Amino acid sequence: MKILASNRRARHDYDLKEKFEAGLVLSGAEVKSVKAGHIDLKGSYISFKSNEAYLVGAHISPYKQAHNIEQYDPTSDRKLLLHRKEIESLVENAQSQHLAVVPTAIGLVRGRIKLEIALARGKKLYDKRETKKRKSMLKDAQLDSKK
């Protein structure tokens, strides 16, 4: 997958368990905008309504050459294209294990826009501190080995 945008905040706030790949229902102007990299996944999440999955809170900037920019809502909910069994599995795991479903990245696979989503468990503050401390120690060790 060629990554167009990444949700770095999700990797910081959550411990990612299992990843899935889903298609997105987008208009033509939205596709062009996403391919240009004008998408922000920060603060977005996956919502389930009547056996369908939706991407909520993602911001896709309007495409400049589109003719209906005035009516465009950049943060509207977008339907995810997943098989029914995948949706049922996600809902079941999220509810039974108290996990969240978060978008982690969006990219191109053979010319099609795909959203990478993950089942994730929220990190506590001390877990975030521990992760930051571990990364800092690894970075220092790499710097020392280069000298």
Side-chain angles (χ1 to χ4, degrees), residues 120-136:
R121 182 175 308 281
K123 286 185 182 178
K124 303 285 188 213
L125 183 59
Y126 58 84
D127 290 334
K128 293 178 191 177
R129 286 189 198 130
E130 184 65 32
T131 303
K132 188 174 181 181
K133 183 178 175 183
R134 192 172 346 121
K135 283 183 183 180
S136 170

Side-chain angles (χ1 to χ4, degrees), residues 5 11-12 14 21 23 27 31 38 46 55 59 70 79 81 98 104 108 114 124-125 132:
R11 288 182 175 83
H12 177 72
Y14 296 96
E21 194 173 272
S27 69
V31 170
H38 301 294
I46 306 299
L55 175 64
H59 185 278
E70 304 85 31
K79 185 176 175 182
L81 301 173
H98 303 290
T104 56
L108 285 175
K114 300 290 182 175
K124 303 285 188 213
L125 183 59
K132 188 174 181 181

Side-chain angles (χ1 to χ4, degrees), residues 85-141:
K85 288 184 180 180
E86 289 176 324
I87 292 173
E88 290 170 357
S89 169
L90 284 170
V91 170
E92 181 181 318
N93 286 333
Q95 289 177 348
S96 66
Q97 300 175 10
H98 303 290
L99 299 175
V101 183
V102 294
T104 56
I106 192 163
L108 285 175
V109 177
R110 293 178 297 206
R112 299 184 190 272
I113 295 176
K114 300 290 182 175
L115 180 70
E116 182 181 86
I117 59 177
L119 281 168
R121 182 175 308 281
K123 286 185 182 178
K124 303 285 188 213
L125 183 59
Y126 58 84
D127 290 334
K128 293 178 191 177
R129 286 189 198 130
E130 184 65 32
T131 303
K132 188 174 181 181
K133 183 178 175 183
R134 192 172 346 121
K135 283 183 183 180
S136 170
M137 288 172 53
L138 284 172
K139 190 174 182 181
D140 290 343

Side-chain angles (χ1 to χ4, degrees), residues 52-66:
E52 293 181 341
Y54 292 91
L55 175 64
V56 179
H59 185 278
I60 298 177
S61 298
Y63 187 61
K64 300 278 190 267
Q65 285 80 24

